[in-house]
Short mmCIF file of all heavy atoms in Angstrom, two decimals:
data_model
loop_
_atom_site.label_atom_id
_atom_site.label_comp_id
_atom_site.label_asym_id
_atom_site.label_seq_id
_atom_site.Cartn_x
_atom_site.Cartn_y
_atom_site.Cartn_z
N MET A 1 94.52 99.67 90.00
CA MET A 1 95.50 99.13 90.94
C MET A 1 95.04 99.42 92.37
O MET A 1 94.49 100.47 92.63
CB MET A 1 96.87 99.79 90.73
CG MET A 1 97.52 99.36 89.42
SD MET A 1 99.17 100.04 89.23
CE MET A 1 98.75 101.76 88.89
N PRO A 2 95.28 98.49 93.24
CA PRO A 2 94.89 98.73 94.63
C PRO A 2 95.79 99.78 95.27
O PRO A 2 96.98 99.85 94.99
CB PRO A 2 95.09 97.37 95.31
CG PRO A 2 96.08 96.65 94.45
CD PRO A 2 95.89 97.18 93.06
N LEU A 3 95.18 100.54 96.11
CA LEU A 3 95.92 101.58 96.82
C LEU A 3 96.00 101.17 98.28
O LEU A 3 94.98 101.03 98.95
CB LEU A 3 95.18 102.91 96.67
CG LEU A 3 95.80 104.11 97.39
CD1 LEU A 3 97.16 104.45 96.77
CD2 LEU A 3 94.87 105.31 97.30
N TYR A 4 97.20 100.95 98.73
CA TYR A 4 97.39 100.55 100.12
C TYR A 4 97.86 101.72 100.95
O TYR A 4 98.65 102.53 100.50
CB TYR A 4 98.42 99.42 100.22
CG TYR A 4 97.91 98.12 99.67
CD1 TYR A 4 98.34 97.65 98.44
CD2 TYR A 4 96.98 97.37 100.39
CE1 TYR A 4 97.88 96.46 97.94
CE2 TYR A 4 96.51 96.18 99.89
CZ TYR A 4 96.96 95.72 98.67
OH TYR A 4 96.50 94.54 98.17
N GLU A 5 97.37 101.72 102.17
CA GLU A 5 97.81 102.75 103.09
C GLU A 5 98.84 102.16 104.05
O GLU A 5 98.63 101.09 104.60
CB GLU A 5 96.62 103.29 103.87
CG GLU A 5 97.03 104.42 104.80
CD GLU A 5 95.82 104.99 105.52
OE1 GLU A 5 95.30 104.33 106.42
OE2 GLU A 5 95.38 106.08 105.14
N TYR A 6 99.91 102.85 104.20
CA TYR A 6 100.93 102.45 105.17
C TYR A 6 100.96 103.47 106.29
O TYR A 6 100.78 104.66 106.08
CB TYR A 6 102.31 102.42 104.52
CG TYR A 6 102.54 101.22 103.63
CD1 TYR A 6 102.06 101.21 102.33
CD2 TYR A 6 103.23 100.12 104.09
CE1 TYR A 6 102.27 100.11 101.50
CE2 TYR A 6 103.45 99.03 103.27
CZ TYR A 6 102.96 99.03 101.99
OH TYR A 6 103.18 97.96 101.18
N ARG A 7 101.21 102.95 107.48
CA ARG A 7 101.29 103.86 108.62
C ARG A 7 102.54 103.55 109.43
O ARG A 7 102.87 102.40 109.68
CB ARG A 7 100.06 103.72 109.52
CG ARG A 7 100.08 104.74 110.65
CD ARG A 7 98.79 104.77 111.40
NE ARG A 7 98.45 103.43 111.93
CZ ARG A 7 97.44 103.23 112.75
NH1 ARG A 7 96.65 104.21 113.08
NH2 ARG A 7 97.20 102.02 113.19
N CYS A 8 103.19 104.60 109.84
CA CYS A 8 104.39 104.46 110.65
C CYS A 8 104.01 104.03 112.05
O CYS A 8 103.14 104.63 112.69
CB CYS A 8 105.14 105.78 110.68
SG CYS A 8 106.58 105.73 111.76
N ALA A 9 104.66 102.98 112.54
CA ALA A 9 104.37 102.49 113.88
C ALA A 9 104.98 103.39 114.94
O ALA A 9 104.62 103.33 116.11
CB ALA A 9 104.90 101.07 114.04
N GLN A 10 105.92 104.20 114.53
CA GLN A 10 106.61 105.06 115.49
C GLN A 10 105.89 106.38 115.71
O GLN A 10 105.67 106.80 116.83
CB GLN A 10 108.04 105.34 115.01
CG GLN A 10 108.91 104.11 114.94
CD GLN A 10 109.22 103.54 116.31
OE1 GLN A 10 109.36 104.27 117.28
NE2 GLN A 10 109.30 102.22 116.39
N CYS A 11 105.55 107.04 114.64
CA CYS A 11 105.02 108.39 114.78
C CYS A 11 103.63 108.55 114.17
O CYS A 11 103.01 109.59 114.31
CB CYS A 11 105.99 109.41 114.18
SG CYS A 11 106.04 109.39 112.39
N GLY A 12 103.15 107.51 113.48
CA GLY A 12 101.79 107.59 112.96
C GLY A 12 101.69 108.27 111.61
O GLY A 12 100.60 108.46 111.09
N GLU A 13 102.81 108.61 111.02
CA GLU A 13 102.80 109.20 109.69
C GLU A 13 102.16 108.21 108.72
O GLU A 13 102.37 107.01 108.80
CB GLU A 13 104.23 109.50 109.26
CG GLU A 13 104.35 110.13 107.89
CD GLU A 13 103.97 111.60 107.89
OE1 GLU A 13 103.85 112.19 108.97
OE2 GLU A 13 103.77 112.15 106.80
N LYS A 14 101.37 108.73 107.81
CA LYS A 14 100.70 107.85 106.84
C LYS A 14 101.15 108.18 105.43
O LYS A 14 101.48 109.31 105.11
CB LYS A 14 99.18 108.04 106.91
CG LYS A 14 98.57 107.54 108.19
CD LYS A 14 97.06 107.76 108.09
CE LYS A 14 96.36 107.35 109.37
NZ LYS A 14 94.90 107.63 109.26
N THR A 15 101.11 107.14 104.59
CA THR A 15 101.35 107.35 103.18
C THR A 15 100.55 106.32 102.41
O THR A 15 100.16 105.29 102.94
CB THR A 15 102.85 107.26 102.83
OG1 THR A 15 103.05 107.71 101.50
CG2 THR A 15 103.36 105.84 102.97
N GLU A 16 100.31 106.60 101.17
CA GLU A 16 99.55 105.67 100.35
C GLU A 16 100.42 105.22 99.19
O GLU A 16 101.14 106.01 98.59
CB GLU A 16 98.28 106.33 99.84
CG GLU A 16 97.30 106.61 100.97
CD GLU A 16 96.14 107.46 100.51
OE1 GLU A 16 96.15 107.93 99.36
OE2 GLU A 16 95.23 107.66 101.31
N VAL A 17 100.35 103.92 98.90
CA VAL A 17 101.21 103.35 97.87
C VAL A 17 100.37 102.53 96.91
O VAL A 17 99.58 101.69 97.32
CB VAL A 17 102.29 102.45 98.51
CG1 VAL A 17 103.17 101.83 97.43
CG2 VAL A 17 103.13 103.24 99.49
N LEU A 18 100.56 102.78 95.64
CA LEU A 18 99.89 101.97 94.64
C LEU A 18 100.69 100.69 94.42
O LEU A 18 101.90 100.71 94.25
CB LEU A 18 99.80 102.74 93.31
CG LEU A 18 98.66 103.74 93.22
CD1 LEU A 18 98.83 104.59 91.95
CD2 LEU A 18 97.32 103.04 93.17
N VAL A 19 99.99 99.56 94.43
CA VAL A 19 100.66 98.27 94.25
C VAL A 19 100.07 97.58 93.03
O VAL A 19 98.86 97.45 92.90
CB VAL A 19 100.46 97.39 95.49
CG1 VAL A 19 101.17 96.06 95.30
CG2 VAL A 19 100.98 98.10 96.73
N ARG A 20 100.94 97.15 92.15
CA ARG A 20 100.46 96.45 90.96
C ARG A 20 99.83 95.12 91.35
O ARG A 20 100.26 94.48 92.31
CB ARG A 20 101.61 96.21 89.99
CG ARG A 20 102.03 97.48 89.28
CD ARG A 20 103.20 97.20 88.38
NE ARG A 20 104.37 96.75 89.16
CZ ARG A 20 105.51 96.35 88.62
NH1 ARG A 20 105.64 96.33 87.32
NH2 ARG A 20 106.51 95.99 89.37
N SER A 21 98.87 94.71 90.60
CA SER A 21 98.18 93.46 90.88
C SER A 21 99.18 92.30 90.93
O SER A 21 100.01 92.13 90.04
CB SER A 21 97.14 93.20 89.79
OG SER A 21 96.47 92.00 90.06
N GLY A 22 99.10 91.53 91.99
CA GLY A 22 99.98 90.37 92.12
C GLY A 22 101.38 90.71 92.57
O GLY A 22 102.23 89.85 92.70
N ASP A 23 101.59 91.97 92.84
CA ASP A 23 102.92 92.38 93.26
C ASP A 23 102.91 92.76 94.73
O ASP A 23 101.90 93.18 95.26
CB ASP A 23 103.36 93.58 92.42
CG ASP A 23 104.87 93.77 92.47
OD1 ASP A 23 105.57 92.89 93.00
OD2 ASP A 23 105.34 94.80 91.96
N ARG A 24 104.01 92.58 95.38
CA ARG A 24 104.10 92.97 96.78
C ARG A 24 105.15 94.07 96.91
O ARG A 24 106.33 93.81 96.68
CB ARG A 24 104.50 91.79 97.66
CG ARG A 24 103.44 90.71 97.71
CD ARG A 24 103.95 89.54 98.52
NE ARG A 24 104.08 89.88 99.92
CZ ARG A 24 103.13 89.66 100.82
NH1 ARG A 24 101.99 89.11 100.48
NH2 ARG A 24 103.31 89.96 102.08
N ALA A 25 104.69 95.21 97.26
CA ALA A 25 105.62 96.31 97.38
C ALA A 25 106.38 96.21 98.70
O ALA A 25 105.85 95.74 99.70
CB ALA A 25 104.86 97.63 97.33
N ASP A 26 107.60 96.64 98.67
CA ASP A 26 108.35 96.71 99.92
C ASP A 26 107.75 97.81 100.78
O ASP A 26 107.27 98.82 100.28
CB ASP A 26 109.81 97.06 99.63
CG ASP A 26 110.51 95.91 98.93
OD1 ASP A 26 110.10 94.75 99.13
OD2 ASP A 26 111.46 96.17 98.18
N ALA A 27 107.79 97.57 102.06
CA ALA A 27 107.26 98.58 102.96
C ALA A 27 108.12 99.84 102.86
O ALA A 27 109.34 99.76 102.91
CB ALA A 27 107.27 98.06 104.39
N PRO A 28 107.47 100.95 102.70
CA PRO A 28 108.22 102.21 102.61
C PRO A 28 108.76 102.62 103.97
O PRO A 28 108.28 102.15 105.01
CB PRO A 28 107.18 103.20 102.11
CG PRO A 28 105.87 102.65 102.58
CD PRO A 28 106.03 101.15 102.56
N ARG A 29 109.72 103.48 103.94
CA ARG A 29 110.24 104.04 105.18
C ARG A 29 109.52 105.35 105.48
O ARG A 29 109.19 106.11 104.58
CB ARG A 29 111.74 104.34 105.02
CG ARG A 29 112.58 103.08 104.90
CD ARG A 29 112.87 102.51 106.26
NE ARG A 29 113.54 101.21 106.16
CZ ARG A 29 114.18 100.64 107.18
NH1 ARG A 29 114.24 101.25 108.35
NH2 ARG A 29 114.75 99.47 107.04
N CYS A 30 109.31 105.54 106.75
CA CYS A 30 108.63 106.77 107.16
C CYS A 30 109.45 107.98 106.77
O CYS A 30 110.63 108.05 107.08
CB CYS A 30 108.42 106.74 108.67
SG CYS A 30 107.70 108.26 109.29
N PRO A 31 108.83 108.93 106.07
CA PRO A 31 109.56 110.14 105.67
C PRO A 31 109.89 111.04 106.85
O PRO A 31 110.75 111.90 106.77
CB PRO A 31 108.61 110.83 104.69
CG PRO A 31 107.25 110.35 105.09
CD PRO A 31 107.44 108.93 105.60
N ALA A 32 109.17 110.81 107.94
CA ALA A 32 109.36 111.69 109.10
C ALA A 32 110.43 111.19 110.05
O ALA A 32 111.24 111.95 110.54
CB ALA A 32 108.04 111.87 109.84
N CYS A 33 110.43 109.86 110.31
CA CYS A 33 111.36 109.36 111.30
C CYS A 33 112.20 108.19 110.80
O CYS A 33 113.10 107.73 111.48
CB CYS A 33 110.61 108.98 112.58
SG CYS A 33 109.64 107.47 112.42
N GLY A 34 111.90 107.69 109.61
CA GLY A 34 112.74 106.65 109.02
C GLY A 34 112.41 105.23 109.44
O GLY A 34 113.06 104.30 109.00
N ALA A 35 111.40 105.06 110.29
CA ALA A 35 111.03 103.71 110.71
C ALA A 35 110.27 103.00 109.59
O ALA A 35 109.66 103.65 108.76
CB ALA A 35 110.17 103.79 111.97
N PRO A 36 110.33 101.67 109.58
CA PRO A 36 109.54 100.93 108.59
C PRO A 36 108.06 101.17 108.83
O PRO A 36 107.63 101.25 109.97
CB PRO A 36 109.89 99.46 108.85
CG PRO A 36 111.08 99.47 109.74
CD PRO A 36 111.10 100.79 110.45
N MET A 37 107.31 101.25 107.74
CA MET A 37 105.89 101.50 107.88
C MET A 37 105.12 100.19 107.72
O MET A 37 105.55 99.28 107.01
CB MET A 37 105.44 102.52 106.84
CG MET A 37 106.20 103.84 106.99
SD MET A 37 105.65 105.11 105.84
CE MET A 37 104.27 105.79 106.76
N GLU A 38 103.98 100.11 108.40
CA GLU A 38 103.17 98.90 108.35
C GLU A 38 102.00 99.11 107.41
O GLU A 38 101.31 100.12 107.47
CB GLU A 38 102.64 98.58 109.75
CG GLU A 38 103.75 98.29 110.73
CD GLU A 38 103.20 98.00 112.10
OE1 GLU A 38 102.02 98.32 112.36
OE2 GLU A 38 103.94 97.46 112.93
N ARG A 39 101.74 98.11 106.59
CA ARG A 39 100.61 98.23 105.68
C ARG A 39 99.31 98.02 106.43
O ARG A 39 99.18 97.10 107.21
CB ARG A 39 100.71 97.22 104.55
CG ARG A 39 99.77 97.56 103.41
CD ARG A 39 99.91 96.59 102.28
NE ARG A 39 99.20 95.34 102.57
CZ ARG A 39 99.18 94.29 101.75
NH1 ARG A 39 99.86 94.31 100.65
NH2 ARG A 39 98.52 93.22 102.07
N GLN A 40 98.38 98.89 106.15
CA GLN A 40 97.06 98.73 106.73
C GLN A 40 96.26 97.79 105.85
O GLN A 40 96.23 97.94 104.63
CB GLN A 40 96.36 100.09 106.83
CG GLN A 40 97.21 101.14 107.53
CD GLN A 40 97.53 100.74 108.96
OE1 GLN A 40 96.66 100.69 109.80
NE2 GLN A 40 98.79 100.42 109.23
N TRP A 41 95.66 96.79 106.47
CA TRP A 41 94.94 95.80 105.68
C TRP A 41 93.71 96.36 105.02
O TRP A 41 93.38 96.03 103.89
CB TRP A 41 94.55 94.61 106.55
CG TRP A 41 95.72 93.75 106.81
CD1 TRP A 41 96.45 93.69 107.97
CD2 TRP A 41 96.35 92.84 105.90
NE1 TRP A 41 97.48 92.81 107.81
CE2 TRP A 41 97.44 92.27 106.57
CE3 TRP A 41 96.10 92.47 104.58
CZ2 TRP A 41 98.27 91.33 105.96
CZ3 TRP A 41 96.92 91.53 103.99
CH2 TRP A 41 97.99 90.98 104.67
N ALA A 42 93.01 97.18 105.75
CA ALA A 42 91.77 97.70 105.19
C ALA A 42 92.08 98.72 104.10
O ALA A 42 92.93 99.57 104.26
CB ALA A 42 90.96 98.36 106.29
N PRO A 43 91.38 98.61 102.99
CA PRO A 43 91.52 99.67 101.98
C PRO A 43 91.11 101.01 102.57
O PRO A 43 90.39 101.06 103.55
CB PRO A 43 90.54 99.25 100.88
CG PRO A 43 90.29 97.80 101.10
CD PRO A 43 90.46 97.58 102.58
N VAL A 44 91.55 102.04 101.99
CA VAL A 44 91.21 103.36 102.48
C VAL A 44 89.70 103.51 102.53
O VAL A 44 89.01 103.15 101.58
CB VAL A 44 91.82 104.43 101.57
CG1 VAL A 44 91.40 105.82 102.02
CG2 VAL A 44 93.34 104.31 101.58
N ALA A 45 89.22 103.98 103.64
CA ALA A 45 87.79 104.24 103.84
C ALA A 45 86.97 102.96 103.99
O ALA A 45 85.77 102.97 103.91
CB ALA A 45 87.21 105.08 102.71
N ALA A 46 87.62 101.84 104.25
CA ALA A 46 86.88 100.62 104.55
C ALA A 46 87.67 99.82 105.59
O ALA A 46 88.88 99.69 105.50
CB ALA A 46 86.70 99.78 103.29
N HIS A 47 86.97 99.31 106.57
CA HIS A 47 87.65 98.60 107.65
C HIS A 47 87.19 97.14 107.69
O HIS A 47 86.01 96.85 107.61
CB HIS A 47 87.37 99.26 108.99
CG HIS A 47 88.08 100.58 109.13
ND1 HIS A 47 88.99 100.84 110.12
CD2 HIS A 47 88.01 101.69 108.38
CE1 HIS A 47 89.45 102.08 109.98
NE2 HIS A 47 88.87 102.63 108.93
N THR A 48 88.13 96.26 107.80
CA THR A 48 87.81 94.84 107.87
C THR A 48 88.41 94.25 109.14
O THR A 48 89.59 94.39 109.38
CB THR A 48 88.37 94.10 106.65
OG1 THR A 48 87.88 94.72 105.48
CG2 THR A 48 87.96 92.65 106.66
N LYS A 49 87.59 93.61 109.89
CA LYS A 49 88.10 92.98 111.11
C LYS A 49 88.45 91.52 110.85
O LYS A 49 87.90 90.87 109.99
CB LYS A 49 87.04 93.05 112.21
CG LYS A 49 86.95 94.44 112.82
CD LYS A 49 86.11 94.39 114.10
CE LYS A 49 86.20 95.72 114.84
NZ LYS A 49 85.49 95.64 116.13
N GLY A 50 89.38 91.02 111.64
CA GLY A 50 89.71 89.61 111.57
C GLY A 50 90.54 89.23 110.36
O GLY A 50 90.55 88.09 109.95
N ALA A 51 91.27 90.15 109.84
CA ALA A 51 92.08 89.85 108.66
C ALA A 51 93.43 89.25 109.03
O ALA A 51 94.39 89.46 108.37
CB ALA A 51 92.29 91.11 107.84
N GLY A 52 93.49 88.57 110.13
CA GLY A 52 94.65 87.76 110.51
C GLY A 52 96.04 88.24 110.13
O GLY A 52 96.86 87.45 109.68
N GLY A 53 96.36 89.47 110.32
CA GLY A 53 97.72 89.89 110.03
C GLY A 53 98.58 89.79 111.27
O GLY A 53 99.69 89.31 111.24
N GLY A 54 98.00 90.18 112.37
CA GLY A 54 98.70 90.06 113.64
C GLY A 54 99.55 91.25 114.00
O GLY A 54 99.59 91.63 115.15
N SER A 55 100.19 91.84 113.03
CA SER A 55 101.12 92.91 113.36
C SER A 55 100.59 94.28 112.98
O SER A 55 101.30 95.24 113.06
CB SER A 55 102.45 92.66 112.65
OG SER A 55 102.25 92.71 111.26
N CYS A 56 99.36 94.33 112.56
CA CYS A 56 98.88 95.63 112.10
C CYS A 56 97.50 95.94 112.68
O CYS A 56 96.63 96.40 111.99
CB CYS A 56 98.87 95.72 110.59
SG CYS A 56 98.07 94.34 109.81
N ALA A 57 97.33 95.62 113.93
CA ALA A 57 96.05 95.91 114.57
C ALA A 57 95.86 97.42 114.68
O ALA A 57 96.80 98.14 114.96
CB ALA A 57 96.01 95.29 115.94
N PRO A 58 94.66 97.87 114.44
CA PRO A 58 94.39 99.30 114.59
C PRO A 58 94.70 99.77 116.00
O PRO A 58 94.45 99.06 116.97
CB PRO A 58 92.90 99.42 114.29
CG PRO A 58 92.56 98.18 113.52
CD PRO A 58 93.49 97.12 114.02
N ARG A 59 95.27 100.93 116.11
CA ARG A 59 95.61 101.47 117.42
C ARG A 59 94.88 102.77 117.68
O ARG A 59 95.22 103.50 118.57
CB ARG A 59 97.11 101.72 117.48
CG ARG A 59 97.90 100.45 117.32
CD ARG A 59 99.38 100.72 117.31
NE ARG A 59 100.11 99.51 116.94
CZ ARG A 59 101.42 99.47 116.75
NH1 ARG A 59 102.12 100.56 116.89
NH2 ARG A 59 102.01 98.34 116.41
N GLY A 60 93.89 103.06 116.88
CA GLY A 60 93.18 104.31 117.07
C GLY A 60 94.01 105.48 116.57
O GLY A 60 95.04 105.30 115.93
N GLY A 61 93.54 106.64 116.85
CA GLY A 61 94.27 107.81 116.44
C GLY A 61 94.06 108.17 114.99
O GLY A 61 94.78 108.98 114.44
N PHE A 62 93.07 107.58 114.37
CA PHE A 62 92.80 107.99 113.00
C PHE A 62 92.33 109.43 112.95
O PHE A 62 91.63 109.90 113.83
CB PHE A 62 91.70 107.11 112.39
CG PHE A 62 92.14 105.68 112.19
CD1 PHE A 62 91.39 104.66 112.72
CD2 PHE A 62 93.29 105.40 111.48
CE1 PHE A 62 91.79 103.34 112.55
CE2 PHE A 62 93.69 104.09 111.29
CZ PHE A 62 92.94 103.06 111.83
N THR A 63 92.72 110.09 111.94
CA THR A 63 92.30 111.48 111.82
C THR A 63 91.40 111.64 110.62
O THR A 63 91.50 110.88 109.70
CB THR A 63 93.52 112.40 111.65
OG1 THR A 63 94.31 111.93 110.58
CG2 THR A 63 94.34 112.40 112.91
ZN1 ZN B 101 107.50 107.82 111.52
#
């Protein structure tokens, strides 16, 4: 199953969510501040540019 990383747009909290093939998981809520989290398009440890999402551009601050 693909593992998607979600990141909080408010505080940068990250979480990883397993998504079943062909399924779309609802965006989780940030455990720290409760804001909706944005799915990162790139799989963990791989970055893809130009993936036309529009709302999930990298903002730096990766640790
Ligand atoms: Zn947060």
Side-chain angles (χ1 to χ4, degrees):
M1 290 184 287
L3 179 66
Y4 290 105
E5 182 177 74
Y6 284 81
R7 185 171 56 173
C8 176
Q10 295 293 325
C11 72
E13 181 76 14
K14 292 181 183 178
T15 190
E16 292 171 354
V17 179
L18 279 171
V19 180
R20 286 178 297 175
S21 181
D23 199 9
R24 294 176 68 94
D26 291 332
R29 292 277 173 164
C30 176
C33 73
M37 301 183 85
E38 297 179 344
R39 195 178 79 181
Q40 308 299 292
W41 284 103
V44 176
H47 288 239
T48 304
K49 284 192 171 185
S55 63
C56 50
R59 298 177 189 175
F62 292 126
T63 53

